[in-house]
Amino acid sequence: MKNLSIDPERLWDDLMETAKIGGTPKGGICRLTLTELDREVRDWFKTRATALGCTVTVDDMGNMFARSAGQRADIPPIGMGSHLDTQPTGGKFDGTLGVLAALEALRTLREAGYETFAPIEVINWTNEEGARFAPAMIASGVFAGVFTHDWAAARADRSGETFGAALEKIGYRGPEPCGQHKLSAFFELHIEQGPYLEAEGKDIGVVTGVQAMRWYEVTVTGQDTHAGTTPMPRRHDALLAAARLVQVVNAAACKHPGAVGTVGLLEVKPGAPNVVPGEVFFMIDMRDPDPAVLDNMENAIAATADKIAAELGVAIAIKNIWSQPPQPFDADCIAAVREAARVSDFTTRDMISGAGHDAAYVARVAPSAMIFVPCKDGISHNEAEYSSKEQCAAGAQVLLQAVLDYDRRLAERYGR
Ligand code: HGY
Ligand code: MN
Ligand code: MN
Protein backbone atom coordinates (compact mmCIF):
# COMPACT_ATOMS: atom_id res chain seq x y z
CA MET A 1 0.00 0.00 0.00
CA LYS A 2 2.82 2.35 0.98
CA ASN A 3 4.46 2.13 -2.45
CA LEU A 4 1.36 3.37 -4.30
CA SER A 5 2.08 6.97 -5.28
CA ILE A 6 -0.04 9.45 -7.16
CA ASP A 7 1.47 11.25 -10.16
CA PRO A 8 2.03 14.93 -9.22
CA GLU A 9 2.53 16.03 -12.84
CA ARG A 10 -0.70 14.42 -14.03
CA LEU A 11 -2.67 15.98 -11.17
CA TRP A 12 -1.16 19.40 -11.84
CA ASP A 13 -1.92 19.11 -15.57
CA ASP A 14 -5.56 18.30 -14.76
CA LEU A 15 -5.76 21.30 -12.42
CA MET A 16 -4.33 23.66 -15.02
CA GLU A 17 -6.50 22.21 -17.79
CA THR A 18 -9.77 22.53 -15.85
CA ALA A 19 -8.72 26.02 -14.70
CA LYS A 20 -9.22 27.10 -18.31
CA ILE A 21 -12.95 26.32 -17.99
CA GLY A 22 -14.15 29.68 -16.71
CA GLY A 23 -10.58 30.98 -16.42
CA THR A 24 -10.30 34.74 -15.73
CA PRO A 25 -7.63 37.21 -16.96
CA LYS A 26 -6.28 37.45 -13.39
CA GLY A 27 -5.65 33.68 -13.28
CA GLY A 28 -8.70 32.69 -11.27
CA ILE A 29 -11.90 30.90 -12.23
CA CYS A 30 -15.48 32.14 -12.55
CA ARG A 31 -17.47 28.90 -12.98
CA LEU A 32 -20.77 29.42 -11.19
CA THR A 33 -22.86 26.38 -10.46
CA LEU A 34 -25.31 25.11 -13.10
CA THR A 35 -23.99 27.40 -15.82
CA GLU A 36 -22.69 26.34 -19.24
CA LEU A 37 -19.17 26.41 -17.76
CA ASP A 38 -20.26 24.07 -14.97
CA ARG A 39 -21.71 21.75 -17.60
CA GLU A 40 -18.40 21.86 -19.49
CA VAL A 41 -16.32 20.90 -16.46
CA ARG A 42 -18.84 18.20 -15.51
CA ASP A 43 -18.52 16.75 -19.02
CA TRP A 44 -14.72 16.88 -18.64
CA PHE A 45 -14.93 14.99 -15.34
CA LYS A 46 -17.43 12.43 -16.69
CA THR A 47 -15.28 11.72 -19.78
CA ARG A 48 -12.18 11.05 -17.71
CA ALA A 49 -13.93 8.98 -15.08
CA THR A 50 -15.59 6.89 -17.78
CA ALA A 51 -12.21 6.44 -19.50
CA LEU A 52 -10.96 5.03 -16.20
CA GLY A 53 -13.65 2.39 -16.34
CA CYS A 54 -15.93 4.06 -13.83
CA THR A 55 -19.71 3.99 -14.06
CA VAL A 56 -20.95 7.55 -13.63
CA THR A 57 -24.38 8.14 -12.07
CA VAL A 58 -26.09 11.47 -11.37
CA ASP A 59 -28.82 12.17 -8.81
CA ASP A 60 -31.71 14.63 -9.09
CA MET A 61 -29.64 17.40 -7.50
CA GLY A 62 -26.89 16.96 -10.07
CA ASN A 63 -24.46 15.26 -7.68
CA MET A 64 -22.12 13.03 -9.75
CA PHE A 65 -20.82 9.64 -8.55
CA ALA A 66 -18.03 7.92 -10.55
CA ARG A 67 -17.83 4.36 -9.24
CA SER A 68 -14.89 1.98 -9.54
CA ALA A 69 -15.77 -1.60 -8.56
CA GLY A 70 -14.17 -3.31 -5.56
CA GLN A 71 -14.14 -6.96 -4.52
CA ARG A 72 -17.47 -6.57 -2.77
CA ALA A 73 -20.25 -4.97 -4.84
CA ASP A 74 -22.65 -5.46 -1.93
CA ILE A 75 -20.78 -3.00 0.29
CA PRO A 76 -21.48 0.76 -0.09
CA PRO A 77 -18.55 2.58 -1.70
CA ILE A 78 -15.94 4.71 0.03
CA GLY A 79 -16.48 8.16 -1.47
CA MET A 80 -13.87 10.87 -2.05
CA GLY A 81 -14.47 14.19 -3.74
CA SER A 82 -15.52 17.80 -3.38
CA HIS A 83 -17.05 20.38 -5.77
CA LEU A 84 -16.33 21.83 -9.24
CA ASP A 85 -18.33 25.07 -8.92
CA THR A 86 -16.48 28.26 -7.95
CA GLN A 87 -17.05 31.71 -6.55
CA PRO A 88 -17.39 34.56 -9.10
CA THR A 89 -13.74 35.47 -8.39
CA GLY A 90 -12.69 32.00 -7.32
CA GLY A 91 -9.32 30.30 -7.52
CA LYS A 92 -7.96 27.22 -9.27
CA PHE A 93 -7.99 24.97 -6.20
CA ASP A 94 -11.09 25.53 -3.99
CA GLY A 95 -13.18 22.38 -4.58
CA THR A 96 -11.52 21.41 -7.85
CA LEU A 97 -8.46 20.04 -6.07
CA GLY A 98 -10.65 17.64 -4.08
CA VAL A 99 -12.35 16.20 -7.15
CA LEU A 100 -9.23 15.98 -9.33
CA ALA A 101 -7.06 14.53 -6.55
CA ALA A 102 -9.71 11.85 -6.05
CA LEU A 103 -9.65 11.12 -9.79
CA GLU A 104 -5.84 10.90 -9.65
CA ALA A 105 -5.98 8.56 -6.65
CA LEU A 106 -8.36 6.31 -8.54
CA ARG A 107 -6.13 6.43 -11.63
CA THR A 108 -3.18 5.37 -9.49
CA LEU A 109 -5.11 2.38 -8.14
CA ARG A 110 -6.23 1.29 -11.58
CA GLU A 111 -2.75 1.64 -13.07
CA ALA A 112 -1.38 -0.51 -10.26
CA GLY A 113 -4.15 -3.05 -10.79
CA TYR A 114 -4.98 -2.64 -7.12
CA GLU A 115 -8.48 -3.92 -6.35
CA THR A 116 -9.99 -2.39 -3.22
CA PHE A 117 -12.29 -4.34 -0.92
CA ALA A 118 -15.14 -1.84 -1.17
CA PRO A 119 -16.10 0.04 -4.34
CA ILE A 120 -14.56 3.52 -4.57
CA GLU A 121 -16.45 6.59 -5.81
CA VAL A 122 -15.25 9.99 -6.92
CA ILE A 123 -17.97 12.53 -6.14
CA ASN A 124 -18.73 16.03 -7.47
CA TRP A 125 -21.28 17.82 -5.26
CA THR A 126 -23.50 20.46 -6.88
CA ASN A 127 -23.50 24.10 -5.70
CA GLU A 128 -21.12 23.82 -2.77
CA GLU A 129 -20.32 27.54 -2.93
CA GLY A 130 -23.82 28.98 -2.56
CA ALA A 131 -22.59 31.99 -4.54
CA ARG A 132 -25.40 31.67 -7.10
CA PHE A 133 -28.05 29.73 -5.18
CA ALA A 134 -28.04 30.36 -1.43
CA PRO A 135 -27.29 28.71 0.92
CA ALA A 136 -23.99 26.91 0.36
CA MET A 137 -23.75 23.10 0.18
CA ILE A 138 -27.36 22.79 -0.95
CA ALA A 139 -26.96 19.48 -2.81
CA SER A 140 -24.97 17.70 -0.12
CA GLY A 141 -27.54 19.15 2.28
CA VAL A 142 -30.36 17.41 0.38
CA PHE A 143 -28.17 14.26 0.29
CA ALA A 144 -27.97 14.40 4.09
CA GLY A 145 -31.70 15.06 4.51
CA VAL A 146 -31.16 18.63 5.79
CA PHE A 147 -33.10 20.25 2.93
CA THR A 148 -35.94 18.75 0.92
CA HIS A 149 -35.41 18.30 -2.80
CA ASP A 150 -38.30 20.67 -3.59
CA TRP A 151 -37.06 23.43 -1.27
CA ALA A 152 -33.60 23.25 -2.84
CA ALA A 153 -34.87 23.06 -6.42
CA ALA A 154 -36.97 26.17 -5.82
CA ARG A 155 -34.04 28.30 -4.59
CA ALA A 156 -33.62 31.19 -7.01
CA ASP A 157 -30.59 33.24 -7.99
CA ARG A 158 -30.67 37.05 -8.02
CA SER A 159 -32.05 36.99 -11.59
CA GLY A 160 -34.95 34.79 -10.44
CA GLU A 161 -33.83 31.56 -12.16
CA THR A 162 -34.40 28.51 -9.96
CA PHE A 163 -31.87 25.80 -9.12
CA GLY A 164 -34.18 23.20 -10.68
CA ALA A 165 -34.54 25.08 -13.97
CA ALA A 166 -30.80 25.72 -14.23
CA LEU A 167 -30.01 22.07 -13.47
CA GLU A 168 -32.45 20.96 -16.19
CA LYS A 169 -30.96 23.46 -18.63
CA ILE A 170 -27.44 22.00 -18.36
CA GLY A 171 -28.78 18.46 -18.62
CA TYR A 172 -27.48 17.24 -15.27
CA ARG A 173 -30.68 16.39 -13.41
CA GLY A 174 -30.15 12.65 -12.94
CA PRO A 175 -32.79 10.00 -12.28
CA GLU A 176 -31.49 8.90 -8.87
CA PRO A 177 -33.38 10.52 -5.96
CA CYS A 178 -30.78 12.51 -4.01
CA GLY A 179 -30.05 10.87 -0.66
CA GLN A 180 -30.63 7.24 -1.57
CA HIS A 181 -26.96 6.72 -2.45
CA LYS A 182 -25.30 4.85 0.43
CA LEU A 183 -21.64 5.47 1.33
CA SER A 184 -19.39 3.50 3.70
CA ALA A 185 -17.32 6.63 4.29
CA PHE A 186 -16.38 9.93 2.67
CA PHE A 187 -13.04 11.76 2.48
CA GLU A 188 -12.61 15.31 1.17
CA LEU A 189 -9.29 16.95 0.30
CA HIS A 190 -9.41 20.76 0.27
CA ILE A 191 -7.08 23.72 0.47
CA GLU A 192 -7.17 25.16 4.00
CA GLN A 193 -8.33 28.60 2.80
CA GLY A 194 -6.74 30.03 5.93
CA PRO A 195 -3.23 30.90 7.19
CA TYR A 196 -2.35 28.28 9.84
CA LEU A 197 -0.69 25.38 7.98
CA GLU A 198 1.58 27.74 6.04
CA ALA A 199 2.37 29.84 9.14
CA GLU A 200 3.32 26.74 11.14
CA GLY A 201 5.12 25.01 8.27
CA LYS A 202 2.86 21.96 8.39
CA ASP A 203 2.18 19.80 5.34
CA ILE A 204 -1.26 18.39 6.16
CA GLY A 205 -4.29 19.54 8.17
CA VAL A 206 -6.08 16.68 9.92
CA VAL A 207 -9.55 18.20 9.99
CA THR A 208 -11.53 17.04 13.02
CA GLY A 209 -14.70 19.02 12.30
CA VAL A 210 -16.37 22.11 10.81
CA GLN A 211 -17.50 25.20 12.77
CA ALA A 212 -21.08 26.45 13.04
CA MET A 213 -22.27 28.93 10.41
CA ARG A 214 -25.43 30.94 9.66
CA TRP A 215 -26.65 33.10 6.76
CA TYR A 216 -29.30 35.83 6.97
CA GLU A 217 -31.18 37.79 4.29
CA VAL A 218 -31.75 41.42 5.35
CA THR A 219 -34.18 43.79 3.61
CA VAL A 220 -34.17 47.46 4.64
CA THR A 221 -37.15 49.47 3.42
CA GLY A 222 -37.05 53.28 3.55
CA GLN A 223 -38.29 55.79 0.99
CA ASP A 224 -36.99 56.79 -2.43
CA THR A 225 -36.78 60.61 -2.42
CA HIS A 226 -35.01 63.37 -4.33
CA ALA A 227 -31.38 63.76 -3.26
CA GLY A 228 -31.44 67.51 -3.90
CA THR A 229 -34.71 68.59 -2.36
CA THR A 230 -35.24 66.31 0.63
CA PRO A 231 -33.91 67.88 3.85
CA MET A 232 -31.76 65.44 5.88
CA PRO A 233 -34.19 65.11 8.85
CA ARG A 234 -37.00 64.13 6.48
CA ARG A 235 -35.17 61.20 4.90
CA HIS A 236 -35.72 57.47 5.39
CA ASP A 237 -32.39 56.40 3.90
CA ALA A 238 -32.26 52.59 3.56
CA LEU A 239 -28.55 52.59 2.70
CA LEU A 240 -27.62 54.65 5.76
CA ALA A 241 -29.46 52.10 7.91
CA ALA A 242 -27.77 49.19 6.09
CA ALA A 243 -24.34 50.80 6.48
CA ARG A 244 -24.86 51.10 10.24
CA LEU A 245 -25.97 47.46 10.39
CA VAL A 246 -22.85 46.31 8.53
CA GLN A 247 -20.83 48.04 11.26
CA VAL A 248 -22.90 46.19 13.88
CA VAL A 249 -22.20 42.79 12.27
CA ASN A 250 -18.48 43.56 12.32
CA ALA A 251 -18.55 44.73 15.94
CA ALA A 252 -20.57 41.68 17.06
CA ALA A 253 -17.97 39.35 15.51
CA CYS A 254 -14.96 41.27 16.85
CA LYS A 255 -16.44 41.03 20.35
CA HIS A 256 -15.92 37.23 20.33
CA PRO A 257 -12.37 35.94 19.68
CA GLY A 258 -12.52 33.43 16.83
CA ALA A 259 -15.95 34.51 15.56
CA VAL A 260 -16.33 35.97 12.08
CA GLY A 261 -19.05 38.13 10.53
CA THR A 262 -19.28 39.28 6.92
CA VAL A 263 -21.60 41.20 4.61
CA GLY A 264 -20.45 40.17 1.15
CA LEU A 265 -23.52 40.82 -0.97
CA LEU A 266 -25.41 44.14 -0.91
CA GLU A 267 -27.87 45.57 -3.45
CA VAL A 268 -29.17 49.16 -3.42
CA LYS A 269 -32.44 50.25 -5.07
CA PRO A 270 -33.12 52.23 -7.16
CA GLY A 271 -29.35 52.73 -7.49
CA ALA A 272 -29.38 56.23 -8.95
CA PRO A 273 -26.90 58.90 -7.79
CA ASN A 274 -29.59 61.49 -7.13
CA VAL A 275 -32.15 59.28 -5.36
CA VAL A 276 -32.05 58.60 -1.62
CA PRO A 277 -32.10 54.76 -1.55
CA GLY A 278 -35.50 53.38 -0.60
CA GLU A 279 -34.50 49.73 -0.41
CA VAL A 280 -31.39 47.72 0.37
CA PHE A 281 -30.98 43.93 0.31
CA PHE A 282 -27.91 42.33 1.87
CA MET A 283 -26.74 39.01 3.31
CA ILE A 284 -24.91 38.27 6.56
CA ASP A 285 -22.51 35.32 6.98
CA MET A 286 -21.63 34.59 10.66
CA ARG A 287 -19.47 31.71 11.98
CA ASP A 288 -17.96 30.40 15.20
CA PRO A 289 -17.14 26.96 16.61
CA ASP A 290 -19.71 27.64 19.39
CA PRO A 291 -23.36 28.15 18.32
CA ALA A 292 -24.04 30.01 21.59
CA VAL A 293 -21.71 32.75 20.33
CA LEU A 294 -23.77 32.96 17.13
CA ASP A 295 -26.93 33.24 19.24
CA ASN A 296 -25.29 36.11 21.11
CA MET A 297 -24.28 37.83 17.87
CA GLU A 298 -27.75 37.32 16.39
CA ASN A 299 -29.43 38.90 19.43
CA ALA A 300 -27.04 41.87 19.42
CA ILE A 301 -27.68 42.54 15.72
CA ALA A 302 -31.47 42.24 16.10
CA ALA A 303 -31.56 44.59 19.09
CA THR A 304 -29.48 47.24 17.33
CA ALA A 305 -31.50 46.85 14.14
CA ASP A 306 -34.62 47.82 16.07
CA LYS A 307 -32.91 50.99 17.31
CA ILE A 308 -31.62 51.91 13.84
CA ALA A 309 -35.09 51.32 12.34
CA ALA A 310 -36.75 53.60 14.91
CA GLU A 311 -34.13 56.33 14.54
CA LEU A 312 -34.16 56.44 10.72
CA GLY A 313 -37.81 55.60 10.17
CA VAL A 314 -37.09 52.48 8.09
CA ALA A 315 -38.27 48.87 8.30
CA ILE A 316 -35.61 46.17 8.75
CA ALA A 317 -36.50 42.50 8.06
CA ILE A 318 -33.84 39.94 9.07
CA LYS A 319 -34.47 36.35 7.89
CA ASN A 320 -32.28 33.42 8.89
CA ILE A 321 -32.05 31.27 5.75
CA TRP A 322 -29.29 28.85 6.78
CA SER A 323 -28.12 27.47 10.09
CA GLN A 324 -25.40 24.81 10.12
CA PRO A 325 -24.41 23.54 13.60
CA PRO A 326 -20.82 22.52 14.37
CA GLN A 327 -20.06 19.15 12.71
CA PRO A 328 -17.49 16.78 14.23
CA PHE A 329 -15.91 14.17 11.91
CA ASP A 330 -15.67 10.42 12.45
CA ALA A 331 -12.88 9.09 14.67
CA ASP A 332 -11.99 6.16 12.38
CA CYS A 333 -11.84 8.44 9.34
CA ILE A 334 -9.69 10.93 11.22
CA ALA A 335 -7.41 8.08 12.26
CA ALA A 336 -7.15 6.96 8.63
CA VAL A 337 -6.09 10.49 7.62
CA ARG A 338 -3.55 10.65 10.44
CA GLU A 339 -2.09 7.24 9.55
CA ALA A 340 -1.99 8.19 5.86
CA ALA A 341 0.02 11.34 6.64
CA ARG A 342 2.35 9.32 8.90
CA VAL A 343 3.16 6.63 6.31
CA SER A 344 3.69 9.40 3.75
CA ASP A 345 6.10 11.22 6.11
CA PHE A 346 4.12 14.47 6.19
CA THR A 347 3.89 16.77 9.20
CA THR A 348 0.36 17.42 10.44
CA ARG A 349 -1.76 19.74 12.55
CA ASP A 350 -5.28 19.03 13.83
CA MET A 351 -7.77 21.75 12.96
CA ILE A 352 -11.43 22.75 12.78
CA SER A 353 -12.55 24.03 9.38
CA GLY A 354 -13.58 27.69 9.27
CA ALA A 355 -15.04 27.12 5.81
CA GLY A 356 -18.11 25.06 5.09
CA HIS A 357 -17.63 21.91 3.02
CA ASP A 358 -19.82 19.15 1.62
CA ALA A 359 -18.16 16.75 4.05
CA ALA A 360 -19.88 18.70 6.84
CA TYR A 361 -23.24 17.46 5.54
CA VAL A 362 -22.12 14.05 4.29
CA ALA A 363 -20.82 13.41 7.84
CA ARG A 364 -24.45 13.31 8.99
CA VAL A 365 -25.12 10.16 6.92
CA ALA A 366 -21.70 8.53 6.49
CA PRO A 367 -18.42 8.49 8.50
CA SER A 368 -16.41 11.38 7.05
CA ALA A 369 -13.22 13.39 7.50
CA MET A 370 -11.22 16.02 5.63
CA ILE A 371 -7.63 16.65 4.66
CA PHE A 372 -6.25 20.19 4.26
CA VAL A 373 -3.20 21.41 2.41
CA PRO A 374 -1.73 24.91 2.83
CA CYS A 375 -2.53 27.74 0.43
CA LYS A 376 -0.37 30.81 -0.15
CA ASP A 377 -0.95 33.54 2.50
CA GLY A 378 -4.16 31.68 3.44
CA ILE A 379 -5.91 33.45 0.55
CA SER A 380 -9.01 31.86 -1.03
CA HIS A 381 -12.26 33.01 -2.68
CA ASN A 382 -9.80 35.17 -4.59
CA GLU A 383 -8.27 34.78 -8.07
CA ALA A 384 -4.78 34.77 -6.52
CA GLU A 385 -5.55 31.54 -4.60
CA TYR A 386 -2.53 29.22 -4.91
CA SER A 387 -1.22 25.90 -3.64
CA SER A 388 1.97 24.47 -5.12
CA LYS A 389 2.28 21.30 -7.19
CA GLU A 390 4.03 19.67 -4.21
CA GLN A 391 1.30 20.72 -1.76
CA CYS A 392 -1.47 19.45 -4.06
CA ALA A 393 0.42 16.19 -4.56
CA ALA A 394 0.91 15.75 -0.81
CA GLY A 395 -2.82 16.15 -0.27
CA ALA A 396 -3.66 13.70 -3.03
CA GLN A 397 -1.18 11.17 -1.67
CA VAL A 398 -2.72 11.38 1.82
CA LEU A 399 -6.21 11.11 0.30
CA LEU A 400 -5.18 7.91 -1.52
CA GLN A 401 -3.57 6.40 1.56
CA ALA A 402 -6.47 7.40 3.84
CA VAL A 403 -8.99 5.71 1.55
CA LEU A 404 -6.81 2.58 1.40
CA ASP A 405 -6.41 2.59 5.17
CA TYR A 406 -10.16 2.87 5.62
CA ASP A 407 -10.74 0.17 3.00
CA ARG A 408 -8.50 -2.14 5.08
CA ARG A 409 -10.52 -1.30 8.20
CA LEU A 410 -13.73 -2.15 6.31
CA ALA A 411 -12.29 -5.47 5.15
CA GLU A 412 -11.41 -6.37 8.75
CA ARG A 413 -14.88 -5.27 9.90
CA TYR A 414 -16.59 -7.46 7.28
CA GLY A 415 -14.14 -10.26 7.99
CA ARG A 416 -12.60 -10.60 4.54
O1 HGY B 1 -18.72 29.41 2.47
C1 HGY B 1 -17.89 28.51 2.59
O2 HGY B 1 -17.28 28.33 3.63
C2 HGY B 1 -17.58 27.61 1.43
O3 HGY B 1 -16.50 28.12 0.74
N1 HGY B 1 -18.71 27.43 0.58
MN1 MN C 1 -14.74 24.68 -1.31
MN1 MN D 1 -15.41 28.05 -1.45
Side-chain angles (χ1 to χ4, degrees):
M1 229 174 40
K2 192 171 169 350
N3 56 6
L4 281 174
S5 296
I6 61 102
D7 180 336
E9 295 303 325
R10 201 164 46 187
L11 172 58
W12 191 256
D13 290 348
D14 278 357
L15 283 163
M16 294 308 114
E17 188 180 342
T18 50
K20 291 177 192 145
I21 304 173
T24 62
K26 288 186 184 172
I29 303 179
C30 176
R31 194 167 63 216
L32 293 183
T33 196
L34 304 185
T35 58
E36 270 309 297
L37 290 169
D38 186 15
R39 182 195 53 70
E40 195 181 330
V41 77
R42 286 165 171 264
D43 290 350
W44 183 99
F45 168 57
K46 187 176 173 185
T47 305
R48 276 146 193 86
T50 308
L52 268 180
C54 294
T55 49
V56 179
T57 57
V58 184
D59 70 19
D60 59 11
M61 289 302 289
N63 298 313
M64 299 174 75
F65 305 89
R67 175 175 296 206
S68 175
Q71 293 163 20
R72 293 281 298 270
D74 59 318
I75 290 175
I78 299 171
M80 51 177 170
S82 190
H83 61 94
L84 291 171
D85 65 310
T86 75
Q87 289 286 340
T89 53
K92 294 186 177 79
F93 305 91
D94 175 357
T96 309
L97 173 62
V99 178
L100 300 189
L103 198 62
E104 173 53 31
L106 200 57
R107 219 183 259 133
T108 305
L109 289 173
R110 305 228 18 138
E111 269 181 356
Y114 184 104
E115 191 187 32
T116 52
F117 176 70
I120 302 292
E121 274 188 352
V122 179
I123 302 173
N124 168 37
W125 299 104
T126 305
N127 187 47
E128 187 281 338
E129 291 293 0
R132 182 180 176 198
F133 299 101
M137 299 125 70
I138 279 187
S140 52
V142 173
F143 185 83
V146 175
F147 309 121
T148 66
H149 172 275
D150 292 352
W151 180 86
R155 297 299 291 167
D157 64 13
R158 298 303 293 159
S159 76
E161 180 162 35
T162 65
F163 180 106
L167 180 64
E168 199 73 52
K169 201 187 279 183
I170 67 164
Y172 268 94
R173 185 166 69 82
E176 180 183 314
C178 180
Q180 291 187 2
H181 200 102
K182 294 298 166 229
L183 294 174
S184 287
F186 177 69
F187 292 87
E188 181 170 2
L189 166 65
H190 207 286
I191 55 171
E192 178 197 342
Q193 300 180 295
Y196 301 108
L197 289 174
E198 182 182 66
E200 296 173 17
K202 299 292 186 194
D203 302 317
I204 295 292
V206 178
V207 189
T208 57
V210 180
Q211 69 176 341
M213 47 197 77
R214 293 178 192 170
W215 283 9
Y216 303 80
E217 287 179 347
V218 183
T219 304
V220 182
T221 310
Q223 185 187 41
D224 296 358
T225 49
H226 196 297
T229 56
T230 312
M232 297 308 280
R234 295 172 64 92
R235 295 177 176 212
H236 305 289
D237 186 334
L239 185 51
L240 177 61
R244 289 188 186 172
L245 259 179
V246 171
Q247 293 274 12
V248 171
V249 171
N250 184 276
C254 293
K255 196 171 146 228
H256 300 276
V260 287
T262 312
V263 172
L265 184 155
L266 184 141
E267 292 168 351
V268 184
K269 288 181 182 171
N274 49 0
V275 178
V276 175
E279 183 180 319
V280 171
F281 170 86
F282 66 89
M283 289 186 69
I284 301 172
D285 176 318
M286 295 184 344
R287 310 188 190 195
D288 189 274
D290 178 358
V293 167
L294 297 184
D295 291 340
N296 195 313
M297 290 171 66
E298 186 177 300
N299 295 336
I301 291 165
T304 315
D306 290 345
K307 287 192 195 114
I308 293 170
E311 195 186 320
L312 298 180
V314 299
I316 299 177
I318 302 177
K319 186 180 168 199
N320 175 228
I321 64 153
W322 184 40
S323 190
Q324 158 74 351
Q327 178 59 53
F329 285 137
D330 172 82
D332 280 348
C333 290
I334 293 169
V337 171
R338 216 187 294 287
E339 176 61 9
R342 187 190 67 77
V343 299
S344 310
D345 299 324
F346 292 124
T347 57
T348 64
R349 175 204 203 270
D350 282 21
M351 52 204 315
I352 290 284
S353 175
H357 299 285
D358 293 304
Y361 275 144
V362 180
R364 294 191 186 199
V365 292
S368 302
M370 289 188 73
I371 303 155
F372 277 173
V373 290
C375 54
K376 191 167 175 342
D377 304 329
I379 296 286
S380 181
H381 285 191
N382 181 306
E383 292 164 292
E385 176 186 281
Y386 179 79
S387 287
S388 69
K389 186 186 300 181
E390 294 69 29
Q391 289 168 333
C392 293
Q397 186 61 27
V398 171
L399 178 66
L400 170 63
Q401 292 294 344
V403 167
L404 291 177
D405 182 272
Y406 198 88
D407 186 53
R408 182 174 50 74
R409 293 163 189 260
L410 271 186
E412 282 163 13
R413 201 179 306 161
Y414 282 92
R416 169 164 50 186

